[in-house]
Amino acid sequence: MTDYLATGNLPDDYRQLAASVADFARTVVAPVSAEHDAQHSFPYEVVAGMAEMGLFGLPFPEEYGGMGGDYFALCLAIEELAKVDQSVAITLEAGVSLGAMPIHRFGTDAQKGEWLPALTSGRQLAAFGLTEPGAGSDAGGTRTRAVLDGDHWVIDGSKQFITNSGTDITALITVTAVTGVGPDGGKEISTIVVPAQTPGLTVEPAYDKVGWKASDTHPLTLTDVHVPEANLLGERGRGYANFLRILDEGRIAIAALAVGAAQGCVDASVAYATQREAFGRPIAANQGIAFKIARMEARAHVARTAYYDAAALLLAGKPFKKQASIAKLVASEAAMDNARDATQIHGGYGFMNDYPVARHYRDSKILEIGEGTSEVQLMLIARTLGL
């Protein structure tokens, strides 16, 4: 991929995918975004359309119903969706990189055969149950426990801020849980697949969020939840390490989402500034406005280059942790800064929910928090420098 990183000339298959998703975002997603945002309703009809396009199967092999593509293809699709609706984009991102990907990366052949076909088709969604009330950035502070009783795991605990966990098509939640004591005397953390309808799993009422209002997000309570021993995902005691790998990959996808949001703000600002007149001329003729939009475009371009770079390393099988953190950091900041500038350019209209930039302004802040805060990214980058 590095041969076209510098030029920006993507191969035809990538360009065609991006163009197809862009058209879908413009004609299907955009017309219903404001309504779903206002009603806090999950866009089932949009998700069904994405499923029909094969977006949920992009990075998975065809033997499990996937499209046989790669992680970069997924990122391109997420970027195009995020230009018009971050809630839709995060539904795809979480459903694939956090929901289905752990099954693909760490599941047994039996687990892959059981779960992946429905997930890659988009008929069902999976969720990633990591964060807890006392374990956010400090994921090692996990308190949820799983005890092996005969041939079943018995799980008790709680999770919070879990995306795609309460929809009508949610099939499973993969949860981290303390399953014993590790060799170093610390917590042995494992990952276990909990089917959505398992007795004892309670999906609590949805959050009233500042943004991403059409995205499904719930706290979860697990009380005496029994699942088969075979639902252990990956090696016992490797759950924390495995989810760190999933988060590293996910940061590239979140960066792509943030780039889409940043570019969406640029596109909306260009359209508005060339049409809106003040003092007898378009406001785009004012250097203060033109320069502000130019800086927004520069932010989006730099952030896009950063996530392309991280994705190239991932696909090449090379270390990418630092580059993923850099991409996530600069892209989320670009999205937030561009949303702020776009709102300012739109003036009073930018404060009205009728305009997409208002949603971007509310939606973008979580990009600096979710899947590792900006402070966590700085910590990870600093560690690679020996600091």
Side-chain angles (χ1 to χ4, degrees), residues 182-194:
D184 60 355
K187 295 177 180 178
E188 175 192 81
I189 297 178
S190 305
T191 49
I192 302 172
V193 175
V194 179

Side-chain angles (χ1 to χ4, degrees), residues 20-69:
S20 176
V21 178
D23 181 70
F24 177 81
R26 182 176 58 256
T27 60
V28 177
V29 181
V32 299
S33 291
E35 181 179 358
H36 281 298
D37 179 80
Q39 296 181 0
H40 302 195
S41 55
F42 188 75
Y44 286 101
E45 77 283 13
V46 172
V47 171
M50 293 194 293
E52 187 174 340
M53 293 178 68
L55 300 189
F56 289 93
L58 277 173
F60 300 109
E62 294 179 5
E63 65 178 301
Y64 294 114
M67 300 295 289

Side-chain angles (χ1 to χ4, degrees), residues 319-337:
F320 64 93
K321 179 185 287 285
K322 180 178 75 172
Q323 288 78 8
S325 286
I326 290 172
K328 203 271 184 182
L329 176 70
V330 301
S332 60
E333 290 182 346
M336 192 68 243
D337 289 344

Side-chain angles (χ1 to χ4, degrees), residues 327-352:
K328 203 271 184 182
L329 176 70
V330 301
S332 60
E333 290 182 346
M336 192 68 243
D337 289 344
N338 278 15
R340 184 183 302 109
D341 284 349
T343 301
Q344 191 71 20
I345 289 167
H346 281 69
Y349 293 109
F351 203 60
M352 301 295 114

Side-chain angles (χ1 to χ4, degrees), residues 40 50 65 99 141 154 204 259 294 377 384:
H40 302 195
M50 293 194 293
V154 182
E204 306 291 352
V259 168
Q377 306 315 314
T384 68

